[in-house]
mmCIF file of all heavy atoms in Angstrom:
data_model
loop_
_atom_site.group_PDB
_atom_site.id
_atom_site.type_symbol
_atom_site.label_atom_id
_atom_site.label_comp_id
_atom_site.label_asym_id
_atom_site.label_seq_id
_atom_site.Cartn_x
_atom_site.Cartn_y
_atom_site.Cartn_z
ATOM 1 N N ASN A 28 73.648 27.879 19.646
ATOM 2 C CA ASN A 28 74.548 27.277 18.687
ATOM 3 C C ASN A 28 75.845 26.836 19.153
ATOM 4 O O ASN A 28 76.346 25.662 18.943
ATOM 5 C CB ASN A 28 74.918 28.316 17.505
ATOM 6 C CG ASN A 28 73.838 28.333 16.435
ATOM 7 O OD1 ASN A 28 74.060 28.878 15.372
ATOM 8 N ND2 ASN A 28 72.703 27.773 16.738
ATOM 9 N N VAL A 29 76.593 27.705 19.982
ATOM 10 C CA VAL A 29 78.012 27.241 20.428
ATOM 11 C C VAL A 29 78.136 26.465 21.511
ATOM 12 O O VAL A 29 79.238 25.901 21.707
ATOM 13 C CB VAL A 29 78.798 28.678 20.571
ATOM 14 C CG1 VAL A 29 79.009 29.387 19.281
ATOM 15 C CG2 VAL A 29 78.299 29.546 21.599
ATOM 16 N N THR A 30 77.036 26.260 22.209
ATOM 17 C CA THR A 30 77.102 25.311 23.445
ATOM 18 C C THR A 30 76.179 24.194 23.259
ATOM 19 O O THR A 30 76.452 23.145 24.010
ATOM 20 C CB THR A 30 76.689 26.099 24.675
ATOM 21 O OG1 THR A 30 75.343 26.513 24.396
ATOM 22 C CG2 THR A 30 77.602 27.221 24.979
ATOM 23 N N ALA A 31 75.234 24.092 22.382
ATOM 24 C CA ALA A 31 74.112 23.176 22.246
ATOM 25 C C ALA A 31 73.443 22.831 23.651
ATOM 26 O O ALA A 31 73.074 21.830 23.879
ATOM 27 C CB ALA A 31 74.799 21.856 21.751
ATOM 28 N N ALA A 32 73.456 23.962 24.263
ATOM 29 C CA ALA A 32 72.722 23.917 25.635
ATOM 30 C C ALA A 32 71.859 25.098 25.852
ATOM 31 O O ALA A 32 71.952 26.247 25.164
ATOM 32 C CB ALA A 32 73.658 23.894 26.754
ATOM 33 N N PRO A 33 70.742 25.000 26.731
ATOM 34 C CA PRO A 33 69.860 26.161 26.883
ATOM 35 C C PRO A 33 70.492 27.324 27.484
ATOM 36 O O PRO A 33 71.336 27.231 28.315
ATOM 37 C CB PRO A 33 68.875 25.602 27.792
ATOM 38 C CG PRO A 33 69.004 24.090 27.753
ATOM 39 C CD PRO A 33 70.433 23.871 27.537
ATOM 40 N N ALA A 34 70.106 28.456 27.054
ATOM 41 C CA ALA A 34 70.533 29.932 27.646
ATOM 42 C C ALA A 34 69.240 30.738 27.828
ATOM 43 O O ALA A 34 68.440 30.649 26.936
ATOM 44 C CB ALA A 34 71.551 30.471 26.818
ATOM 45 N N ALA A 35 69.162 31.408 28.989
ATOM 46 C CA ALA A 35 68.050 32.269 29.196
ATOM 47 C C ALA A 35 68.377 33.676 29.629
ATOM 48 O O ALA A 35 67.709 34.648 29.513
ATOM 49 C CB ALA A 35 67.114 31.622 30.077
ATOM 50 N N ASP A 36 69.489 33.785 30.337
ATOM 51 C CA ASP A 36 70.064 35.008 30.804
ATOM 52 C C ASP A 36 70.372 36.010 29.646
ATOM 53 O O ASP A 36 71.271 35.601 28.829
ATOM 54 C CB ASP A 36 71.241 34.774 31.705
ATOM 55 C CG ASP A 36 71.834 36.135 32.239
ATOM 56 O OD1 ASP A 36 71.183 36.939 32.873
ATOM 57 O OD2 ASP A 36 73.021 36.324 31.813
ATOM 58 N N PRO A 37 69.841 37.233 29.744
ATOM 59 C CA PRO A 37 70.189 38.113 28.440
ATOM 60 C C PRO A 37 71.610 38.393 28.266
ATOM 61 O O PRO A 37 72.197 38.414 27.247
ATOM 62 C CB PRO A 37 69.411 39.316 28.837
ATOM 63 C CG PRO A 37 68.273 38.943 29.659
ATOM 64 C CD PRO A 37 68.787 37.789 30.514
ATOM 65 N N GLU A 38 72.358 38.454 29.384
ATOM 66 C CA GLU A 38 73.868 38.801 29.262
ATOM 67 C C GLU A 38 74.661 37.575 28.704
ATOM 68 O O GLU A 38 75.554 37.609 27.976
ATOM 69 C CB GLU A 38 74.465 39.241 30.659
ATOM 70 C CG GLU A 38 73.978 40.655 31.005
ATOM 71 C CD GLU A 38 74.040 41.688 29.819
ATOM 72 O OE1 GLU A 38 75.091 41.804 29.198
ATOM 73 O OE2 GLU A 38 73.063 42.305 29.471
ATOM 74 N N SER A 39 74.159 36.314 29.144
ATOM 75 C CA SER A 39 74.681 35.123 28.487
ATOM 76 C C SER A 39 74.374 35.083 27.016
ATOM 77 O O SER A 39 75.261 34.723 26.179
ATOM 78 C CB SER A 39 74.153 33.820 29.135
ATOM 79 O OG SER A 39 74.496 33.825 30.616
ATOM 80 N N VAL A 40 73.197 35.357 26.611
ATOM 81 C CA VAL A 40 72.779 35.378 25.209
ATOM 82 C C VAL A 40 73.699 36.316 24.444
ATOM 83 O O VAL A 40 74.164 35.992 23.331
ATOM 84 C CB VAL A 40 71.244 35.603 25.074
ATOM 85 C CG1 VAL A 40 70.922 36.033 23.657
ATOM 86 C CG2 VAL A 40 70.377 34.637 25.721
ATOM 87 N N ARG A 41 73.828 37.584 24.930
ATOM 88 C CA ARG A 41 74.796 38.540 24.313
ATOM 89 C C ARG A 41 76.114 37.991 23.953
ATOM 90 O O ARG A 41 76.686 38.072 22.899
ATOM 91 C CB ARG A 41 74.801 39.777 25.209
ATOM 92 C CG ARG A 41 75.340 40.998 24.373
ATOM 93 C CD ARG A 41 75.603 42.196 25.389
ATOM 94 N NE ARG A 41 74.533 42.469 26.318
ATOM 95 C CZ ARG A 41 73.493 43.246 25.977
ATOM 96 N NH1 ARG A 41 73.409 43.839 24.750
ATOM 97 N NH2 ARG A 41 72.532 43.487 26.927
ATOM 98 N N ARG A 42 76.704 37.426 25.011
ATOM 99 C CA ARG A 42 78.093 36.820 24.930
ATOM 100 C C ARG A 42 78.178 35.634 23.952
ATOM 101 O O ARG A 42 78.990 35.503 23.126
ATOM 102 C CB ARG A 42 78.497 36.248 26.230
ATOM 103 C CG ARG A 42 79.786 35.482 26.287
ATOM 104 C CD ARG A 42 80.245 35.171 27.667
ATOM 105 N NE ARG A 42 79.278 34.272 28.303
ATOM 106 C CZ ARG A 42 79.040 33.104 28.229
ATOM 107 N NH1 ARG A 42 79.697 32.358 27.364
ATOM 108 N NH2 ARG A 42 77.980 32.499 28.939
ATOM 109 N N LEU A 43 77.097 34.833 23.939
ATOM 110 C CA LEU A 43 76.960 33.606 23.025
ATOM 111 C C LEU A 43 76.866 34.078 21.583
ATOM 112 O O LEU A 43 77.437 33.323 20.671
ATOM 113 C CB LEU A 43 75.904 32.749 23.408
ATOM 114 C CG LEU A 43 76.187 32.014 24.720
ATOM 115 C CD1 LEU A 43 74.853 31.325 25.205
ATOM 116 C CD2 LEU A 43 77.289 30.934 24.693
ATOM 117 N N LEU A 44 76.115 35.182 21.454
ATOM 118 C CA LEU A 44 75.901 35.623 20.006
ATOM 119 C C LEU A 44 77.295 36.125 19.432
ATOM 120 O O LEU A 44 77.511 35.957 18.242
ATOM 121 C CB LEU A 44 74.854 36.682 19.924
ATOM 122 C CG LEU A 44 73.471 36.269 20.053
ATOM 123 C CD1 LEU A 44 72.533 37.500 20.183
ATOM 124 C CD2 LEU A 44 73.092 35.421 18.906
ATOM 125 N N VAL A 45 78.116 36.723 20.181
ATOM 126 C CA VAL A 45 79.418 37.185 19.812
ATOM 127 C C VAL A 45 80.259 36.001 19.482
ATOM 128 O O VAL A 45 80.996 35.927 18.513
ATOM 129 C CB VAL A 45 80.095 38.120 20.903
ATOM 130 C CG1 VAL A 45 81.439 38.437 20.468
ATOM 131 C CG2 VAL A 45 79.273 39.427 21.071
ATOM 132 N N GLU A 46 80.245 34.914 20.425
ATOM 133 C CA GLU A 46 81.077 33.783 20.281
ATOM 134 C C GLU A 46 80.618 33.000 18.946
ATOM 135 O O GLU A 46 81.540 32.367 18.392
ATOM 136 C CB GLU A 46 80.866 32.835 21.550
ATOM 137 C CG GLU A 46 81.627 33.441 22.686
ATOM 138 C CD GLU A 46 81.460 32.444 23.877
ATOM 139 O OE1 GLU A 46 80.951 31.305 23.717
ATOM 140 O OE2 GLU A 46 81.699 32.891 25.105
ATOM 141 N N GLN A 47 79.420 33.204 18.728
ATOM 142 C CA GLN A 47 78.841 32.363 17.541
ATOM 143 C C GLN A 47 79.396 32.634 16.200
ATOM 144 O O GLN A 47 79.546 32.025 15.309
ATOM 145 C CB GLN A 47 77.220 32.689 17.579
ATOM 146 C CG GLN A 47 76.498 31.814 16.465
ATOM 147 C CD GLN A 47 75.555 32.729 15.765
ATOM 148 O OE1 GLN A 47 75.930 33.629 15.129
ATOM 149 N NE2 GLN A 47 74.237 32.243 15.905
ATOM 150 N N VAL A 48 79.937 33.969 16.089
ATOM 151 C CA VAL A 48 80.418 34.435 14.793
ATOM 152 C C VAL A 48 81.623 33.663 14.354
ATOM 153 O O VAL A 48 81.914 33.295 13.178
ATOM 154 C CB VAL A 48 80.763 35.924 14.784
ATOM 155 C CG1 VAL A 48 81.399 36.439 13.538
ATOM 156 C CG2 VAL A 48 79.591 36.737 15.198
ATOM 157 N N MET A 49 82.481 33.360 15.473
ATOM 158 C CA MET A 49 83.741 32.579 15.078
ATOM 159 C C MET A 49 83.637 31.064 15.342
ATOM 160 O O MET A 49 84.351 30.243 15.030
ATOM 161 C CB MET A 49 85.036 33.159 15.978
ATOM 162 C CG MET A 49 85.316 34.425 15.507
ATOM 163 S SD MET A 49 86.473 35.246 16.757
ATOM 164 C CE MET A 49 87.792 34.053 16.764
ATOM 165 N N GLY A 50 82.568 30.772 16.311
ATOM 166 C CA GLY A 50 82.415 29.415 16.814
ATOM 167 C C GLY A 50 81.755 28.452 15.916
ATOM 168 O O GLY A 50 80.956 28.804 14.942
ATOM 169 N N ARG A 51 81.852 27.123 16.189
ATOM 170 C CA ARG A 51 81.235 26.073 15.515
ATOM 171 C C ARG A 51 79.662 26.093 15.728
ATOM 172 O O ARG A 51 79.173 26.233 16.883
ATOM 173 C CB ARG A 51 81.781 24.709 15.920
ATOM 174 C CG ARG A 51 81.238 23.644 15.061
ATOM 175 C CD ARG A 51 81.989 22.350 15.307
ATOM 176 N NE ARG A 51 81.646 21.723 16.678
ATOM 177 C CZ ARG A 51 82.589 21.537 17.579
ATOM 178 N NH1 ARG A 51 83.888 21.902 17.466
ATOM 179 N NH2 ARG A 51 82.206 20.978 18.699
ATOM 180 N N VAL A 52 78.856 25.852 14.730
ATOM 181 C CA VAL A 52 77.477 25.719 14.816
ATOM 182 C C VAL A 52 77.196 24.289 15.164
ATOM 183 O O VAL A 52 77.372 23.315 14.373
ATOM 184 C CB VAL A 52 76.737 26.107 13.592
ATOM 185 C CG1 VAL A 52 75.158 25.718 13.612
ATOM 186 C CG2 VAL A 52 76.988 27.393 13.172
ATOM 187 N N ARG A 53 76.803 24.004 16.464
ATOM 188 C CA ARG A 53 76.740 22.597 16.935
ATOM 189 C C ARG A 53 75.319 22.020 16.718
ATOM 190 O O ARG A 53 74.568 21.855 17.805
ATOM 191 C CB ARG A 53 77.225 22.507 18.360
ATOM 192 C CG ARG A 53 78.651 22.880 18.447
ATOM 193 C CD ARG A 53 79.055 23.148 19.941
ATOM 194 N NE ARG A 53 78.974 21.985 20.842
ATOM 195 C CZ ARG A 53 79.391 21.794 22.064
ATOM 196 N NH1 ARG A 53 79.880 22.926 22.699
ATOM 197 N NH2 ARG A 53 79.170 20.798 22.815
ATOM 198 N N TRP A 54 74.788 22.060 15.509
ATOM 199 C CA TRP A 54 73.454 21.683 15.295
ATOM 200 C C TRP A 54 73.079 20.361 15.540
ATOM 201 O O TRP A 54 72.118 20.020 16.243
ATOM 202 C CB TRP A 54 73.122 22.059 13.847
ATOM 203 C CG TRP A 54 71.609 22.066 13.649
ATOM 204 C CD1 TRP A 54 70.921 21.069 12.926
ATOM 205 C CD2 TRP A 54 70.623 22.900 14.199
ATOM 206 N NE1 TRP A 54 69.496 21.344 12.975
ATOM 207 C CE2 TRP A 54 69.411 22.444 13.641
ATOM 208 C CE3 TRP A 54 70.753 24.133 14.810
ATOM 209 C CZ2 TRP A 54 68.182 23.132 14.007
ATOM 210 C CZ3 TRP A 54 69.481 24.847 15.186
ATOM 211 C CH2 TRP A 54 68.241 24.170 14.750
ATOM 212 N N ARG A 55 73.952 19.349 15.129
ATOM 213 C CA ARG A 55 73.750 17.957 15.422
ATOM 214 C C ARG A 55 73.573 17.685 16.936
ATOM 215 O O ARG A 55 72.545 16.943 17.307
ATOM 216 C CB ARG A 55 74.871 17.037 14.883
ATOM 217 C CG ARG A 55 74.745 15.529 15.172
ATOM 218 C CD ARG A 55 75.859 14.905 14.709
ATOM 219 N NE ARG A 55 77.257 15.262 15.205
ATOM 220 C CZ ARG A 55 77.728 14.933 16.463
ATOM 221 N NH1 ARG A 55 77.002 14.245 17.262
ATOM 222 N NH2 ARG A 55 78.834 15.542 16.927
ATOM 223 N N GLU A 56 74.646 18.298 17.769
ATOM 224 C CA GLU A 56 74.461 18.143 19.101
ATOM 225 C C GLU A 56 73.305 18.679 19.775
ATOM 226 O O GLU A 56 72.649 18.315 20.715
ATOM 227 C CB GLU A 56 75.607 18.676 19.775
ATOM 228 C CG GLU A 56 76.991 18.043 19.439
ATOM 229 C CD GLU A 56 78.154 18.779 20.023
ATOM 230 O OE1 GLU A 56 78.470 18.704 21.300
ATOM 231 O OE2 GLU A 56 78.818 19.480 19.227
ATOM 232 N N SER A 57 72.878 19.905 19.238
ATOM 233 C CA SER A 57 71.620 20.595 19.643
ATOM 234 C C SER A 57 70.316 19.626 19.634
ATOM 235 O O SER A 57 69.553 19.627 20.469
ATOM 236 C CB SER A 57 71.382 21.827 18.994
ATOM 237 O OG SER A 57 72.436 22.843 19.240
ATOM 238 N N ILE A 58 70.178 19.009 18.373
ATOM 239 C CA ILE A 58 69.061 18.332 18.179
ATOM 240 C C ILE A 58 69.210 16.980 18.900
ATOM 241 O O ILE A 58 68.095 16.387 19.505
ATOM 242 C CB ILE A 58 68.966 17.885 16.589
ATOM 243 C CG1 ILE A 58 68.643 19.356 15.843
ATOM 244 C CG2 ILE A 58 67.786 16.954 16.387
ATOM 245 C CD1 ILE A 58 67.501 20.116 16.396
#
């Protein structure tokens, strides 16, 4: 959501899920 880019590393996923709570949902950019 917060980068509109692929992530696969578990530690990156953990960090991005925390950032996601405050961060913008970049759905248009993701699609």
Side-chain angles (χ1 to χ4, degrees):
N28 276 192
V29 293
T30 60
D36 171 64
E38 291 314 308
S39 296
V40 168
R41 195 188 311 274
R42 174 177 53 79
L43 291 166
L44 286 174
V45 174
E46 291 178 11
Q47 186 225 60
V48 178
M49 294 168 58
R51 184 171 76 240
V52 177
R53 296 169 64 176
W54 191 254
R55 176 186 57 82
E56 292 174 81
S57 297
I58 298 304

